[in-house]
Amino acid sequence: MFACIFVPNFPVAAVFRAEPELRAQAVAVFEGKPPLEKVFAVNESAGRVGIAPGMTKAQAELCSELTLHPRSRLQEASAHAALLDCAQSFSPRVEDAALDTALVDLAGMESLFGSLPEIAHAMSQRIAGLGLEANVAVASNPDAAALAGRGFSGVTVIPQGKEGESLGSLPVEVLFAGWIEGEREGKKKEDERRKNSERLLATLERWGIRTLHSLAALPEVALSERLGQEGLRLRQLARGAAFRTLVPVETPAVFEEGVELEHPIVLLEPLAFLLNRLLEQICARLASRALNTQELRLTLELESLSSRNQEAQISNQQFCRTLRLPLPMLDPKLFLKLLQLDLSAHPPGAPILKIHLTAEAARPRSAQGGLFLPPSPEPEKLELTLARIASLVGESRVGSLELLDTYRAEGFRMKRFVPGTYSDGTVSETVRQKAAAEEKSAVTALRMFRPPLRATVTLENGEPARVLCSKKKEVQGAVLWKAGPWRSSGDWWEREAWSRDEWDIALQTADGAGLFRLMHDLLGGSWFVEGSYD
Amino acid sequence: MSSAVLSTSAARGRPFVFDDEEVAEVCPQPSGAEVAEARPPQRAVFSAGAYAKTYKDARLAGVTPASRLAARPAPEMVSSGIVAMDALTGGLPRGCLTEICGPASSGRTTLLLAALAAVTRRGECCAVVDASDALDPQSAAAAGVELSRLLWVRCGENSPEKSLEQLLRATDLLLESGGFGMIALDLGDLPPQAARRIPLTTWFRYRHAVEHTSTVLLAIERQSIAGSCSSLLIKLGSRGNRIKESADSRLLKPTHAQLLTELEITAELVRSRQERKPVRSAEITFACKTAWAG
């Protein structure tokens, strides 16, 4: 058995998916170059007020209740991808029949999803969850399912052997329903196909054939003599007896959503509303395919300042931000907050014309928290917390540490904080070994002064005898005790060569003796207090 | 006389569950200590208040509210990473604020790193909110801290006021995030007058946020500033750190080199919420070796 998911009035449905608040209004989608724009598709409300496809934009504008929306190939492509995602969430064998139609092979699916009506209803619900209203039809062959999908609204299940009966009441126009192929076929081929359809339809009209039942009843030989092979094909379709093999497609796991704006956005707040919508759509699509994402790429097309000032040719520039997550996640609210924080730290700097969001699909993480594992922060919460802290203190000033293989002072770098237990769901082996080992005695710690404090040092016999540090009043006075010098050098083969002597010194402070590390830069000749032992 | 035992489901909005037989054994006119052992205090408070109000049953009249219990439930204590310190304080309490104060070079950072090392050894994550960007990664690694489990928030790029503001906000966010075994606030280099600008209400908020969690909230500072919000207050001594040099320094070449091998730290337990008042101040002295002393 085969199922057809058909989205009626696809250009309008794509607009409604992107802007759900328009559903209650009369909407007409127009296309073409100004001033020759024509209405391309209308919704039911617009049809009731007298707007029809083919009217000029100027004519349509006379209707005050009407909302005019330009046709967006980007939105249609996203809606089509959502349609295929929905189909592929049920079966791997999916035919991409048209922009508005997806055919699904249901062989063997009953054991997974239940009976055929249950599958059809589940499909209808899932496509509605993705923001599209679609007809779902189930029949024994792909063409019968496609005809039923285009002809009957809602969910239709045609039992095997009753295709002719069920399809009989449909008008013959269903056979030539405008399959919106978009840019898939060339314009010339599309026009040729349309003309051929119109010619056949006119012939059938002249013969008084208005339903599929009448067409199916025509004698085969006589029809062949008059309309040729095309006539026989139409008769087979009308009888629901046209058998063909499904041509499955393998859709790449690319999840893209975009929106083109009529008026440029300047503020981040309205941008957040649009991003929220795009993120919800992407997350719904990912969820339908049981996937998460680990990387989000936001591309904003900006209006260049020069083009605005001079009103010359618009030369748009792109602004890209990439959000990399430590783990696969699927939370549109979290993504929105992270994007907001990122954009407030790195504002686009120019009005936004177009928003494009891409998610790299990733398998959901399989590890779950164990009862006996030590507590660790929730990845989603932690990511948001880190982003908020980064916006407070700076991106490079929050994270975990990684020591570098060098003896140079400050030989470390900051990296992204990802607690070890996330990676495999268990405590790492090194931690276990350390836990098993007995606790060591305390190790004296050094507190760093960043940057090191420049000091004036009085030497006696080549050893520091008195230290004066103007920036920190505590660090001054006679040296009570000293150890050193400890000489080290490195990177002499590079431009940033270093050579230093270190002294551990004790100075009298107000609270007692203070222990400090004194450093003599042998290349520069300056003395610095690098830190205090604490 | 029997009374009702209320299940924890009451707190979740489900109907109360009563079990007369069980109650007769658990709380026949209980004394405070017995009740504390028999059931969690929150439950006792809820039982008495909610049930007596709803059903006007006099059977619960004898239940002591948690606020008046003689013995309160003790927080879980975790190792501070130094055996002598654990012997003095019993460890660091989870879900409480611990203050470690003392002057410069009194061993505060040593104690902090030892505690962080103990936390990461247990496989937990920890965070250091550093007001003056003073953490030395080499010292942390030498102390045994697993650096991949340590989140370091480096405040203090700008003015002390700005860094204090960043520290407070970052701590709020980390406490809200939850899941950390320890969150340490390093105020060690802030002048006392700057640290005292932190309002007491902030400490109360932190104490409230960390309560009922498994996080140890630790603050190191020059002087105690959290007042009664801290459950444990340790004062590190400034009695004069005794510097130990290597005994065989004469054998080292070049012969002029001396070696700082060990410091002696004096710690005094000033306040512990686990101990009843009056405070029984106790003092210990322990040694901490330098990383190169072996």
Side-chain angles (χ1 to χ4, degrees):
Chain A
M1 296 295 274
F2 297 87
C4 167
I5 309 174
F6 172 74
V7 182
N9 208 357
F10 185 73
V12 178
V15 170
F16 284 167
R17 178 173 175 269
E19 296 171 49
E21 69 277 2
L22 292 178
R23 281 181 196 278
Q25 299 174 21
V27 175
V29 178
F30 66 91
E31 68 168 352
K33 287 183 182 172
L36 301 173
E37 296 125 314
K38 283 191 174 175
V39 173
F40 177 73
V42 295
N43 71 340
E44 211 174 320
S45 310
R48 277 201 294 271
V49 293
I51 307 297
M55 290 171 82
T56 61
K57 190 186 172 193
Q59 284 174 322
E61 275 172 345
L62 293 174
C63 177
S64 58
E65 301 163 24
L66 187 70
T67 305
L68 279 162
H69 198 286
R71 187 181 181 190
S72 168
R73 300 277 182 191
L74 197 62
Q75 286 175 355
E76 285 178 18
S78 301
H80 176 64
L83 175 67
L84 289 182
D85 285 334
C86 172
Q88 292 220 324
S89 66
F90 284 90
S91 167
R93 284 173 52 79
V94 171
E95 182 180 308
D96 181 9
L99 269 183
D100 54 0
T101 312
L103 294 168
V104 188
D105 186 357
L106 296 182
M109 293 295 131
E110 280 140 306
S111 56
L112 282 173
F113 298 108
S115 64
L116 292 175
E118 282 173 350
I119 294 175
H121 278 104
M123 279 180 172
S124 177
Q125 282 172 5
R126 195 164 293 176
I127 193 79
L130 292 173
L132 292 168
E133 282 180 10
N135 301 338
V136 179
V138 177
S140 61
N141 66 72
D143 290 321
L147 286 174
R150 275 185 269 147
F152 301 115
S153 62
V155 174
T156 312
V157 180
I158 300 175
Q160 197 159 10
K162 305 233 172 170
E163 292 83 8
E165 261 178 60
S166 307
L167 298 174
S169 59
L170 292 177
V172 283
E173 284 83 1
V174 170
L175 293 169
F176 312 101
W179 285 34
I180 303 161
E181 292 288 337
E183 289 165 357
R184 199 178 303 173
E185 291 182 4
K187 182 91 176 163
K188 200 175 169 185
K189 206 170 177 182
E190 201 181 326
D191 287 346
E192 193 182 319
R193 188 174 175 162
R194 192 177 295 142
K195 275 180 192 168
N196 195 28
S197 304
E198 281 169 8
R199 186 178 56 77
L200 280 168
L201 203 57
T203 309
L204 292 173
E205 183 72 28
R206 273 203 310 279
W207 292 351
I209 304 294
R210 290 190 177 82
T211 62
L212 295 190
H213 184 261
S214 317
L215 180 60
L218 289 177
E220 192 175 355
V221 177
L223 188 65
S224 170
E225 283 169 356
R226 285 163 180 80
L227 294 181
Q229 285 301 309
E230 184 64 11
L232 286 180
R233 193 184 70 83
L234 291 176
R235 184 175 174 275
Q236 286 284 82
L237 286 174
R239 289 162 63 89
F243 284 96
R244 68 174 178 90
T245 312
L246 201 75
V247 187
V249 288
E250 198 173 322
T251 49
V254 178
F255 296 86
E256 292 179 335
E257 292 287 338
V259 60
E260 288 163 323
L261 305 168
E262 287 181 72
H263 306 289
I265 288 182
V266 182
L267 299 171
L268 288 180
E269 199 177 339
L271 176 65
F273 281 107
L274 293 170
L275 284 177
N276 184 35
R277 194 173 291 161
L278 296 181
L279 284 167
E280 280 181 351
Q281 286 166 358
I282 279 196
C283 288
R285 283 177 58 192
L286 284 165
S288 73
R289 299 276 292 271
L291 290 169
N292 286 7
T293 182
Q294 206 167 355
E295 188 177 301
L296 279 170
R297 272 195 304 277
L298 174 69
T299 310
L300 302 175
E301 205 164 279
L302 306 177
E303 189 181 4
S304 63
L305 288 171
S306 59
S307 70
R308 276 199 304 158
N309 293 338
Q310 296 165 9
E311 293 186 1
Q313 281 188 338
I314 295 171
S315 56
N316 298 332
Q317 53 182 358
Q318 285 199 334
F319 174 82
C320 296
R321 295 297 305 163
T322 304
L323 196 69
R324 288 192 182 84
L325 304 162
L327 293 168
M329 296 176 189
L330 193 69
D331 186 351
K333 283 182 185 167
L334 171 76
F335 296 155
L336 176 67
K337 199 69 203 163
L338 292 175
L339 280 175
Q340 271 183 302
L341 287 168
D342 188 67
L343 285 172
S344 55
H346 309 92
I352 299 156
L353 291 171
K354 196 171 170 183
I355 306 166
H356 198 261
L357 196 61
T358 311
E360 284 287 324
R363 285 181 180 277
R365 58 180 187 273
S366 53
Q368 63 176 32
L371 275 176
F372 304 106
L373 286 176
S376 72
E378 279 178 43
E380 286 85 1
K381 267 191 181 178
L382 179 67
E383 200 55 28
L384 192 55
T385 304
L386 291 179
R388 282 179 170 155
I389 294 175
S391 71
L392 274 177
V393 298
E395 268 177 47
S396 60
R397 297 180 68 82
V398 60
S400 64
L401 287 158
E402 187 182 12
L403 293 179
L404 301 176
D405 187 16
T406 175
Y407 289 104
R408 177 190 278 273
E410 303 284 6
F412 71 93
R413 70 170 164 225
M414 299 291 286
K415 62 175 190 177
R416 186 191 199 106
F417 178 66
V418 183
T421 46
Y422 291 168
S423 54
D424 53 357
T426 56
V427 182
S428 67
E429 193 56 35
T430 50
V431 174
R432 275 190 200 149
Q433 285 170 359
K434 281 189 179 180
E438 283 191 17
E439 290 178 357
K440 294 187 288 184
S441 64
V443 176
T444 308
L446 181 71
R447 291 181 72 83
M448 301 298 288
F449 298 142
R450 290 191 177 95
L453 306 172
R454 189 177 285 272
T456 308
V457 178
T458 310
L459 297 176
E460 276 179 16
N461 302 324
E463 296 178 352
R466 193 166 188 82
V467 176
L468 181 66
C469 181
S470 55
K471 278 194 176 175
K472 215 172 178 85
K473 287 178 184 172
E474 300 157 10
V475 191
Q476 59 182 3
V479 176
L480 303 176
W481 174 91
K482 57 188 169 287
W486 306 105
R487 179 163 295 181
S488 56
S489 63
D491 296 338
W492 47 265
W493 56 93
E494 286 180 2
R495 210 173 269 180
E496 295 88 27
W498 55 274
S499 178
R500 50 194 266 156
D501 273 354
E502 282 175 12
W503 293 83
D504 298 328
I505 58 166
L507 298 175
Q508 188 64 47
T509 60
D511 302 313
L515 277 168
F516 298 94
R517 180 185 282 180
L518 193 65
M519 189 268 281
H520 183 207
D521 180 9
L522 296 176
L523 299 179
S526 308
W527 287 84
F528 296 93
V529 180
E530 209 171 40
S532 68
Y533 290 103
D534 185 30
Chain B
M1 180 178 171
S2 67
S3 64
V5 167
L6 303 183
S7 80
T8 49
S9 62
R12 299 184 197 120
R14 283 186 275 162
F16 297 125
V17 177
F18 302 99
D19 187 345
D20 287 344
E21 288 179 11
E22 198 181 330
V23 174
E25 288 175 12
V26 174
C27 48
Q29 288 292 348
S31 68
E34 283 170 2
V35 170
E37 286 174 11
R39 59 174 78 174
Q42 296 92 338
R43 202 185 295 183
V45 170
F46 192 87
S47 317
Y51 185 68
K53 200 180 279 181
T54 317
Y55 298 92
K56 311 282 186 194
D57 196 328
R59 289 183 298 178
L60 284 178
V63 176
T64 312
S67 56
R68 292 182 206 157
L69 288 175
R72 294 184 188 183
E76 186 190 345
M77 305 297 274
V78 293
S79 169
S80 67
I82 297 173
V83 178
M85 192 60 77
D86 288 344
L88 176 70
T89 63
L92 303 175
R94 284 192 194 268
C96 299
L97 171 65
T98 300
E99 277 186 289
I100 298 171
C101 60
S105 299
S106 61
R108 299 161 303 171
T109 316
T110 301
L111 206 56
L112 168 68
L113 293 185
L116 290 174
V119 171
T120 54
R121 269 199 295 268
R122 288 194 295 271
E124 296 174 29
C125 297
C126 50
V128 174
V129 191
D130 198 343
S132 40
D133 193 10
L135 183 74
D136 176 33
Q138 302 286 353
S139 297
V145 179
E146 194 183 335
L147 296 179
S148 63
R149 291 182 182 277
L150 172 67
L151 173 67
W152 184 22
V153 183
R154 306 167 69 181
C155 311
E157 198 175 24
N158 306 313
S159 61
E161 291 79 22
K162 182 82 179 165
S163 88
L164 198 58
E165 192 187 322
Q166 287 175 348
L167 174 129
L168 298 179
R169 184 83 189 100
T171 309
D172 264 326
L173 289 168
L174 288 170
L175 287 171
E176 193 187 328
S177 169
F180 287 93
M182 176 181 285
I183 297 174
L185 278 64
D186 189 346
L187 302 162
D189 281 346
L190 276 190
Q193 57 269 30
R196 269 191 232 110
R197 280 185 204 146
I198 301 174
L200 203 57
T201 49
T202 304
W203 294 111
F204 273 109
R205 193 174 68 245
Y206 288 169
R207 192 184 74 171
H208 185 68
V210 84
E211 220 172 5
H212 307 304
T213 68
S214 57
T215 305
V216 176
L217 183 61
L218 187 73
I220 65 168
E221 57 225 1
R222 289 195 183 180
Q223 290 174 4
S224 170
I225 48 175
S228 60
C229 295
S230 60
S231 299
L232 183 65
L233 174 59
I234 302 163
K235 193 175 176 187
L236 297 181
S238 58
R239 210 167 51 164
N241 298 309
R242 290 203 309 178
I243 301 158
K244 284 196 177 174
E245 298 170 16
S246 57
D248 54 350
S249 61
R250 283 169 302 166
L251 303 177
L252 292 170
K253 289 182 180 181
T255 50
H256 64 261
Q258 289 179 302
L259 193 62
L260 173 66
T261 58
E262 203 172 281
L263 288 179
E264 278 193 357
I265 296 172
T266 309
E268 183 190 356
L269 177 65
V270 179
R271 180 171 62 239
S272 172
R273 206 42 77 71
Q274 318 319 316
E275 303 284 336
R276 281 285 167 191
K277 288 180 181 178
V279 174
R280 287 174 297 176
S281 184
E283 200 174 283
I284 54 152
T285 302
F286 61 93
C288 61
K289 287 184 175 177
T290 47
W292 50 85

